[in-house]
Short mmCIF file of all heavy atoms in Angstrom, two decimals:
data_model
loop_
_atom_site.label_atom_id
_atom_site.label_comp_id
_atom_site.label_asym_id
_atom_site.label_seq_id
_atom_site.Cartn_x
_atom_site.Cartn_y
_atom_site.Cartn_z
N MET P 2 -294.82 175.57 -73.32
CA MET P 2 -295.22 174.29 -73.87
C MET P 2 -295.02 174.30 -75.37
O MET P 2 -295.94 174.59 -76.15
CB MET P 2 -296.67 173.99 -73.51
CG MET P 2 -297.06 172.54 -73.71
SD MET P 2 -298.73 172.20 -73.11
CE MET P 2 -298.48 172.42 -71.36
N PHE P 3 -293.83 173.96 -75.77
CA PHE P 3 -293.39 174.09 -77.16
C PHE P 3 -294.37 173.44 -78.13
O PHE P 3 -294.67 174.00 -79.19
CB PHE P 3 -292.01 173.44 -77.28
CG PHE P 3 -291.42 173.48 -78.66
CD1 PHE P 3 -290.86 174.66 -79.14
CD2 PHE P 3 -291.38 172.35 -79.45
CE1 PHE P 3 -290.30 174.71 -80.40
CE2 PHE P 3 -290.83 172.37 -80.71
CZ PHE P 3 -290.28 173.56 -81.19
N SER P 4 -294.87 172.26 -77.81
CA SER P 4 -295.71 171.52 -78.76
C SER P 4 -297.05 172.17 -79.00
O SER P 4 -297.78 171.75 -79.91
CB SER P 4 -295.90 170.09 -78.26
OG SER P 4 -296.56 170.10 -77.01
N ARG P 5 -297.42 173.17 -78.23
CA ARG P 5 -298.68 173.87 -78.42
C ARG P 5 -298.51 175.17 -79.20
O ARG P 5 -299.48 175.92 -79.39
CB ARG P 5 -299.33 174.17 -77.07
CG ARG P 5 -299.74 172.94 -76.29
CD ARG P 5 -300.79 172.11 -77.01
NE ARG P 5 -301.96 172.87 -77.35
CZ ARG P 5 -302.99 173.04 -76.53
NH1 ARG P 5 -302.97 172.51 -75.32
NH2 ARG P 5 -304.04 173.74 -76.91
N TYR P 6 -297.29 175.43 -79.64
CA TYR P 6 -297.00 176.67 -80.34
C TYR P 6 -296.60 176.40 -81.79
O TYR P 6 -295.82 175.48 -82.07
CB TYR P 6 -295.86 177.43 -79.65
CG TYR P 6 -296.29 178.18 -78.42
CD1 TYR P 6 -296.63 177.50 -77.25
CD2 TYR P 6 -296.35 179.56 -78.42
CE1 TYR P 6 -297.04 178.19 -76.13
CE2 TYR P 6 -296.74 180.26 -77.29
CZ TYR P 6 -297.10 179.56 -76.15
OH TYR P 6 -297.48 180.25 -75.04
N SER P 7 -297.12 177.21 -82.68
CA SER P 7 -296.60 177.26 -84.03
C SER P 7 -295.29 178.03 -83.98
O SER P 7 -295.12 178.93 -83.17
CB SER P 7 -297.59 177.96 -84.96
OG SER P 7 -298.83 177.30 -84.95
N MET P 8 -294.37 177.66 -84.86
CA MET P 8 -293.04 178.28 -84.86
C MET P 8 -292.74 178.92 -86.20
O MET P 8 -293.20 178.45 -87.25
CB MET P 8 -291.97 177.23 -84.53
CG MET P 8 -292.12 176.59 -83.17
SD MET P 8 -291.97 177.76 -81.81
CE MET P 8 -290.26 178.27 -81.99
N GLY P 9 -291.96 179.98 -86.15
CA GLY P 9 -291.61 180.66 -87.38
C GLY P 9 -290.18 181.14 -87.38
O GLY P 9 -289.54 181.24 -86.33
N TRP P 10 -289.69 181.42 -88.57
CA TRP P 10 -288.39 182.06 -88.76
C TRP P 10 -288.61 183.37 -89.51
O TRP P 10 -289.38 183.41 -90.49
CB TRP P 10 -287.45 181.17 -89.56
CG TRP P 10 -286.89 180.01 -88.81
CD1 TRP P 10 -287.38 178.73 -88.81
CD2 TRP P 10 -285.74 180.00 -87.97
NE1 TRP P 10 -286.59 177.93 -88.00
CE2 TRP P 10 -285.58 178.69 -87.49
CE3 TRP P 10 -284.81 180.96 -87.58
CZ2 TRP P 10 -284.55 178.33 -86.62
CZ3 TRP P 10 -283.78 180.60 -86.73
CH2 TRP P 10 -283.66 179.30 -86.26
N PHE P 11 -287.94 184.40 -89.06
CA PHE P 11 -287.95 185.70 -89.70
C PHE P 11 -286.50 186.13 -89.91
O PHE P 11 -285.59 185.55 -89.31
CB PHE P 11 -288.68 186.73 -88.82
CG PHE P 11 -290.15 186.49 -88.69
CD1 PHE P 11 -290.65 185.50 -87.85
CD2 PHE P 11 -291.06 187.26 -89.41
CE1 PHE P 11 -292.01 185.27 -87.74
CE2 PHE P 11 -292.42 187.04 -89.30
CZ PHE P 11 -292.90 186.05 -88.46
N ARG P 12 -286.30 187.14 -90.72
CA ARG P 12 -284.94 187.64 -90.92
C ARG P 12 -284.97 189.15 -91.13
O ARG P 12 -285.98 189.70 -91.59
CB ARG P 12 -284.27 186.95 -92.10
CG ARG P 12 -284.87 187.27 -93.46
CD ARG P 12 -284.20 186.42 -94.54
NE ARG P 12 -284.73 186.73 -95.86
CZ ARG P 12 -284.40 186.06 -96.96
NH1 ARG P 12 -283.53 185.04 -96.89
NH2 ARG P 12 -284.91 186.41 -98.13
N GLN P 13 -283.85 189.76 -90.79
CA GLN P 13 -283.71 191.21 -90.98
C GLN P 13 -282.34 191.50 -91.57
O GLN P 13 -281.31 191.23 -90.94
CB GLN P 13 -283.89 191.96 -89.66
CG GLN P 13 -283.93 193.46 -89.83
CD GLN P 13 -284.39 194.17 -88.58
OE1 GLN P 13 -284.35 193.64 -87.48
NE2 GLN P 13 -284.86 195.41 -88.75
N ALA P 14 -282.36 192.03 -92.78
CA ALA P 14 -281.14 192.43 -93.45
C ALA P 14 -280.79 193.86 -93.06
O ALA P 14 -281.67 194.63 -92.65
CB ALA P 14 -281.32 192.32 -94.96
N PRO P 15 -279.53 194.24 -93.19
CA PRO P 15 -279.12 195.61 -92.83
C PRO P 15 -279.94 196.65 -93.59
O PRO P 15 -280.10 196.57 -94.81
CB PRO P 15 -277.65 195.65 -93.26
CG PRO P 15 -277.21 194.23 -93.21
CD PRO P 15 -278.38 193.42 -93.62
N GLY P 16 -280.49 197.59 -92.85
CA GLY P 16 -281.25 198.66 -93.46
C GLY P 16 -282.65 198.30 -93.91
O GLY P 16 -283.34 199.12 -94.53
N LYS P 17 -283.08 197.08 -93.60
CA LYS P 17 -284.40 196.64 -94.02
C LYS P 17 -285.24 196.21 -92.82
O LYS P 17 -284.72 195.96 -91.74
CB LYS P 17 -284.29 195.48 -95.01
CG LYS P 17 -283.61 195.85 -96.33
CD LYS P 17 -283.68 194.71 -97.32
CE LYS P 17 -283.08 195.10 -98.65
NZ LYS P 17 -283.17 193.99 -99.64
N GLU P 18 -286.52 196.13 -93.04
CA GLU P 18 -287.41 195.66 -91.98
C GLU P 18 -287.33 194.14 -91.86
O GLU P 18 -286.99 193.44 -92.82
CB GLU P 18 -288.85 196.10 -92.28
CG GLU P 18 -289.05 197.60 -92.25
CD GLU P 18 -290.52 197.97 -92.36
OE1 GLU P 18 -291.34 197.08 -92.64
OE2 GLU P 18 -290.83 199.16 -92.17
N ARG P 19 -287.69 193.66 -90.69
CA ARG P 19 -287.73 192.22 -90.48
C ARG P 19 -288.84 191.62 -91.33
O ARG P 19 -289.94 192.18 -91.41
CB ARG P 19 -287.92 191.91 -89.01
CG ARG P 19 -287.75 190.46 -88.66
CD ARG P 19 -287.47 190.27 -87.18
NE ARG P 19 -288.46 190.85 -86.31
CZ ARG P 19 -288.37 190.88 -84.99
NH1 ARG P 19 -287.31 190.35 -84.38
NH2 ARG P 19 -289.32 191.43 -84.27
N GLU P 20 -288.57 190.47 -91.94
CA GLU P 20 -289.53 189.85 -92.84
C GLU P 20 -289.71 188.38 -92.52
O GLU P 20 -288.84 187.72 -91.97
CB GLU P 20 -289.09 190.00 -94.30
CG GLU P 20 -287.80 189.28 -94.64
CD GLU P 20 -287.41 189.38 -96.11
OE1 GLU P 20 -288.11 190.07 -96.87
OE2 GLU P 20 -286.40 188.75 -96.50
N PHE P 21 -290.86 187.89 -92.89
CA PHE P 21 -291.21 186.49 -92.70
C PHE P 21 -290.38 185.60 -93.63
O PHE P 21 -290.15 185.93 -94.80
CB PHE P 21 -292.70 186.29 -92.99
CG PHE P 21 -293.12 184.87 -93.05
CD1 PHE P 21 -293.29 184.13 -91.89
CD2 PHE P 21 -293.36 184.24 -94.27
CE1 PHE P 21 -293.69 182.80 -91.94
CE2 PHE P 21 -293.76 182.93 -94.34
CZ PHE P 21 -293.92 182.20 -93.17
N VAL P 22 -289.95 184.45 -93.11
CA VAL P 22 -289.21 183.49 -93.91
C VAL P 22 -290.00 182.17 -94.03
O VAL P 22 -290.26 181.70 -95.14
CB VAL P 22 -287.83 183.19 -93.30
CG1 VAL P 22 -287.12 182.08 -94.07
CG2 VAL P 22 -286.99 184.45 -93.27
N ALA P 23 -290.37 181.59 -92.89
CA ALA P 23 -291.04 180.28 -92.91
C ALA P 23 -291.76 180.07 -91.59
O ALA P 23 -291.39 180.65 -90.57
CB ALA P 23 -290.04 179.17 -93.14
N ALA P 24 -292.78 179.22 -91.62
CA ALA P 24 -293.51 178.88 -90.41
C ALA P 24 -293.95 177.43 -90.48
O ALA P 24 -294.16 176.88 -91.58
CB ALA P 24 -294.72 179.79 -90.22
N VAL P 25 -294.11 176.82 -89.32
CA VAL P 25 -294.52 175.42 -89.24
C VAL P 25 -295.59 175.28 -88.17
O VAL P 25 -295.57 175.99 -87.16
CB VAL P 25 -293.30 174.52 -88.96
CG1 VAL P 25 -292.69 174.82 -87.59
CG2 VAL P 25 -293.65 173.05 -89.08
N SER P 26 -296.52 174.38 -88.41
CA SER P 26 -297.60 174.15 -87.46
C SER P 26 -297.08 173.46 -86.20
O SER P 26 -295.95 172.96 -86.16
CB SER P 26 -298.67 173.29 -88.11
OG SER P 26 -298.13 172.02 -88.47
N TRP P 27 -297.92 173.40 -85.18
CA TRP P 27 -297.50 172.83 -83.91
C TRP P 27 -297.07 171.37 -84.05
O TRP P 27 -296.17 170.91 -83.34
CB TRP P 27 -298.63 172.93 -82.88
CG TRP P 27 -299.84 172.12 -83.25
CD1 TRP P 27 -300.91 172.53 -83.99
CD2 TRP P 27 -300.10 170.75 -82.90
NE1 TRP P 27 -301.81 171.50 -84.13
CE2 TRP P 27 -301.33 170.40 -83.47
CE3 TRP P 27 -299.40 169.80 -82.16
CZ2 TRP P 27 -301.89 169.13 -83.32
CZ3 TRP P 27 -299.94 168.55 -82.00
CH2 TRP P 27 -301.18 168.22 -82.59
N SER P 28 -297.67 170.66 -84.99
CA SER P 28 -297.35 169.24 -85.16
C SER P 28 -296.18 169.02 -86.10
O SER P 28 -295.61 167.92 -86.15
CB SER P 28 -298.57 168.49 -85.69
OG SER P 28 -298.84 168.90 -87.03
N GLY P 29 -295.86 170.04 -86.89
CA GLY P 29 -294.84 169.88 -87.92
C GLY P 29 -295.41 169.38 -89.23
O GLY P 29 -294.68 169.24 -90.21
#
């Protein structure tokens, strides 16, 4: 149920740990 979930973007560069980029609430 997509509309009940908060969504986020993360990224991982070569040789680095995955890191937070952005997040949005369930409503946007």
Side-chain angles (χ1 to χ4, degrees):
M2 196 174 293
F3 180 77
S4 62
R5 295 298 304 273
Y6 282 71
S7 301
M8 298 298 295
W10 286 96
F11 291 77
R12 67 186 182 186
Q13 187 168 20
K17 296 187 177 181
E18 294 188 351
R19 189 160 56 185
E20 64 177 3
F21 170 77
V22 175
V25 64
S26 62
W27 64 270
S28 69

